[in-house]
Amino acid sequence: MRAAQTDRRSPTASSAASRAARLRAVHPMLWAAFAALATGAVLCVIGWYGISGERFAERQLPYIASCTVPGAALIVAGAVLLAHGRGALAAARVEELYGLLVAVEGQNPLGARAERAAAPVATSDDLLLVPGGRLLHRADCPLVAGKPDAVTPDADVLAAGATDPCPICAPPTDAARAKA
Protein backbone atom coordinates (compact mmCIF):
# COMPACT_ATOMS: atom_id res chain seq x y z
CA MET A 1 0.00 0.00 0.00
CA ARG A 2 2.76 2.42 0.98
CA ALA A 3 4.71 1.62 -2.20
CA ALA A 4 1.69 2.56 -4.29
CA GLN A 5 1.46 5.89 -2.47
CA THR A 6 5.14 6.53 -3.04
CA ASP A 7 4.83 5.83 -6.75
CA ARG A 8 2.00 8.35 -7.10
CA ARG A 9 4.06 11.16 -5.61
CA SER A 10 5.91 13.56 -7.83
CA PRO A 11 9.72 13.33 -7.89
CA THR A 12 9.93 16.61 -6.01
CA ALA A 13 7.61 15.38 -3.26
CA SER A 14 9.50 12.11 -2.84
CA SER A 15 12.84 13.89 -2.70
CA ALA A 16 11.42 16.32 -0.13
CA ALA A 17 10.21 13.37 1.92
CA SER A 18 13.63 11.73 1.73
CA ARG A 19 15.32 14.98 2.79
CA ALA A 20 12.97 15.27 5.74
CA ALA A 21 13.71 11.66 6.67
CA ARG A 22 17.45 12.37 6.58
CA LEU A 23 16.97 15.39 8.82
CA ARG A 24 14.94 13.29 11.27
CA ALA A 25 17.66 10.61 11.20
CA VAL A 26 20.31 13.12 12.24
CA HIS A 27 18.50 14.38 15.35
CA PRO A 28 18.84 11.13 17.38
CA MET A 29 22.57 11.26 16.75
CA LEU A 30 22.71 14.78 18.14
CA TRP A 31 20.66 13.77 21.18
CA ALA A 32 22.99 10.81 21.76
CA ALA A 33 25.97 13.16 21.51
CA PHE A 34 24.53 15.55 24.08
CA ALA A 35 23.61 12.65 26.39
CA ALA A 36 27.14 11.20 26.13
CA LEU A 37 28.70 14.60 26.83
CA ALA A 38 26.46 15.22 29.84
CA THR A 39 26.97 11.72 31.28
CA GLY A 40 30.72 11.97 30.78
CA ALA A 41 30.84 15.33 32.52
CA VAL A 42 28.81 13.99 35.46
CA LEU A 43 31.08 10.94 35.77
CA CYS A 44 34.19 13.14 35.70
CA VAL A 45 32.77 15.37 38.44
CA ILE A 46 31.86 12.32 40.57
CA GLY A 47 35.34 10.88 40.02
CA TRP A 48 36.99 14.17 40.96
CA TYR A 49 34.84 14.47 44.07
CA GLY A 50 35.69 10.90 45.11
CA ILE A 51 39.39 11.38 44.50
CA SER A 52 39.47 14.67 46.40
CA GLY A 53 38.17 12.97 49.55
CA GLU A 54 40.85 10.26 49.55
CA ARG A 55 44.33 10.87 50.85
CA PHE A 56 46.13 7.79 49.59
CA ALA A 57 46.63 6.88 45.91
CA GLU A 58 45.52 3.28 46.49
CA ARG A 59 42.10 4.51 47.53
CA GLN A 60 41.87 6.98 44.62
CA LEU A 61 42.35 4.33 41.90
CA PRO A 62 38.80 2.94 42.08
CA TYR A 63 37.38 6.42 41.42
CA ILE A 64 39.71 6.91 38.48
CA ALA A 65 38.87 3.49 37.05
CA SER A 66 35.12 3.62 37.59
CA CYS A 67 34.30 7.29 36.99
CA THR A 68 37.01 9.49 35.54
CA VAL A 69 38.28 7.26 32.70
CA PRO A 70 34.79 6.24 31.47
CA GLY A 71 33.66 9.86 31.84
CA ALA A 72 36.53 11.07 29.69
CA ALA A 73 35.78 8.36 27.12
CA LEU A 74 32.13 9.42 27.01
CA ILE A 75 33.15 13.04 26.51
CA VAL A 76 35.36 12.08 23.58
CA ALA A 77 32.64 9.85 22.09
CA GLY A 78 30.06 12.63 22.54
CA ALA A 79 32.34 15.14 20.83
CA VAL A 80 32.84 12.77 17.88
CA LEU A 81 29.08 12.12 17.62
CA LEU A 82 28.36 15.83 17.85
CA ALA A 83 30.85 16.68 15.11
CA HIS A 84 29.49 13.93 12.85
CA GLY A 85 25.87 14.85 13.58
CA ARG A 86 26.41 18.53 12.88
CA GLY A 87 28.24 17.70 9.66
CA ALA A 88 25.42 15.39 8.57
CA LEU A 89 22.83 18.01 9.50
CA ALA A 90 24.69 20.67 7.52
CA ALA A 91 25.00 18.32 4.54
CA ALA A 92 21.27 17.54 4.67
CA ARG A 93 20.43 21.24 4.80
CA VAL A 94 22.74 22.04 1.88
CA GLU A 95 21.19 19.21 -0.10
CA GLU A 96 17.71 20.52 0.71
CA LEU A 97 18.66 24.04 -0.41
CA TYR A 98 20.20 22.67 -3.59
CA GLY A 99 17.02 20.71 -4.24
CA LEU A 100 14.98 23.87 -3.80
CA LEU A 101 17.21 25.75 -6.22
CA VAL A 102 17.15 23.24 -9.05
CA ALA A 103 13.75 21.59 -8.60
CA VAL A 104 11.54 23.91 -10.60
CA GLU A 105 8.69 21.79 -11.89
CA GLY A 106 7.89 22.13 -15.57
CA GLN A 107 10.77 24.47 -16.28
CA ASN A 108 14.20 23.76 -17.66
CA PRO A 109 16.71 25.70 -15.52
CA LEU A 110 19.17 25.99 -18.41
CA GLY A 111 16.47 27.37 -20.69
CA ALA A 112 15.42 29.89 -18.05
CA ARG A 113 19.03 31.01 -17.63
CA ALA A 114 19.46 31.43 -21.40
CA GLU A 115 16.18 33.33 -21.59
CA ARG A 116 17.32 35.62 -18.79
CA ALA A 117 20.66 36.21 -20.52
CA ALA A 118 18.97 37.02 -23.84
CA ALA A 119 16.66 39.62 -22.28
CA PRO A 120 18.13 43.14 -22.35
CA VAL A 121 18.99 44.70 -19.01
CA ALA A 122 18.27 48.27 -20.08
CA THR A 123 16.61 49.70 -23.19
CA SER A 124 16.56 53.46 -22.72
CA ASP A 125 18.35 55.66 -25.25
CA ASP A 126 18.99 58.40 -22.66
CA LEU A 127 22.57 58.33 -21.43
CA LEU A 128 23.88 59.04 -17.92
CA LEU A 129 27.30 59.44 -16.39
CA VAL A 130 28.23 59.36 -12.72
CA PRO A 131 30.47 62.34 -11.86
CA GLY A 132 34.05 61.17 -11.62
CA GLY A 133 33.18 57.89 -13.38
CA ARG A 134 34.34 56.65 -16.77
CA LEU A 135 31.38 54.43 -17.67
CA LEU A 136 28.53 55.65 -19.83
CA HIS A 137 25.18 54.11 -18.83
CA ARG A 138 21.65 53.94 -20.17
CA ALA A 139 19.16 55.80 -17.96
CA ASP A 140 17.49 52.56 -16.82
CA CYS A 141 20.76 50.71 -16.15
CA PRO A 142 20.62 49.02 -12.72
CA LEU A 143 23.98 50.53 -11.82
CA VAL A 144 22.72 54.14 -12.02
CA ALA A 145 18.96 53.73 -11.57
CA GLY A 146 17.84 55.75 -8.57
CA LYS A 147 21.13 57.64 -8.19
CA PRO A 148 20.41 61.37 -8.01
CA ASP A 149 24.01 62.33 -8.78
CA ALA A 150 23.98 60.65 -12.23
CA VAL A 151 23.90 63.37 -14.89
CA THR A 152 23.59 63.58 -18.65
CA PRO A 153 27.10 63.69 -20.12
CA ASP A 154 28.34 66.78 -21.93
CA ALA A 155 28.78 66.64 -25.70
CA ASP A 156 32.50 67.43 -25.43
CA VAL A 157 33.02 64.45 -23.04
CA LEU A 158 31.29 62.18 -25.53
CA ALA A 159 33.22 63.60 -28.47
CA ALA A 160 36.56 63.26 -26.69
CA GLY A 161 35.93 59.56 -26.10
CA ALA A 162 36.80 59.86 -22.41
CA THR A 163 34.09 57.39 -21.46
CA ASP A 164 33.74 53.65 -21.90
CA PRO A 165 30.41 51.86 -22.42
CA CYS A 166 28.93 50.10 -19.41
CA PRO A 167 29.36 46.32 -19.77
CA ILE A 168 25.97 45.73 -18.12
CA CYS A 169 23.62 47.91 -20.20
CA ALA A 170 25.79 48.40 -23.34
CA PRO A 171 24.74 51.93 -24.31
CA PRO A 172 24.91 53.07 -27.95
CA THR A 173 28.12 55.08 -27.68
CA ASP A 174 28.57 55.60 -31.44
CA ALA A 175 25.10 57.10 -31.82
CA ALA A 176 25.71 59.41 -28.84
CA ARG A 177 29.04 60.56 -30.23
CA ALA A 178 27.42 61.16 -33.63
CA LYS A 179 24.78 63.39 -31.98
CA ALA A 180 27.48 65.46 -30.31
Side-chain angles (χ1 to χ4, degrees):
M1 178 79 174
R2 190 172 282 277
Q5 290 176 350
T6 307
D7 291 339
R8 280 186 269 150
R9 291 184 194 163
S10 68
T12 306
S14 64
S15 64
S18 67
R19 283 190 298 270
R22 276 193 298 272
L23 285 174
R24 281 192 302 270
V26 170
H27 289 295
M29 186 182 307
L30 292 175
W31 282 109
F34 290 130
L37 286 169
T39 306
V42 167
L43 283 176
C44 284
V45 168
I46 291 171
W48 171 80
Y49 184 74
I51 288 172
S52 68
E54 297 296 332
R55 183 172 164 183
F56 299 107
E58 305 86 43
R59 299 182 103 190
Q60 293 175 353
L61 285 176
Y63 291 106
I64 291 174
S66 64
C67 291
T68 308
V69 171
L74 278 174
I75 289 174
V76 169
V80 169
L81 281 173
L82 185 65
H84 180 69
R86 291 231 171 144
L89 185 63
R93 286 180 178 165
V94 165
E95 188 173 326
E96 181 180 3
L97 287 174
Y98 179 75
L100 290 173
L101 284 173
V102 298
V104 178
E105 289 187 44
Q107 184 177 6
N108 182 2
L110 295 176
R113 187 178 301 141
E115 182 180 311
R116 227 178 307 133
V121 175
T123 57
S124 174
D125 286 335
D126 298 330
L127 300 176
L128 293 178
L129 183 67
V130 177
R134 291 190 38 92
L135 293 179
L136 190 63
H137 301 273
R138 292 179 185 259
D140 54 349
C141 178
L143 297 177
V144 296
K147 291 190 178 182
D149 55 340
V151 295
T152 305
D154 295 335
D156 56 344
V157 171
L158 292 174
T163 60
D164 296 323
C166 170
I168 305 295
C169 64
T173 55
D174 295 334
R177 288 186 182 138
K179 285 181 187 178

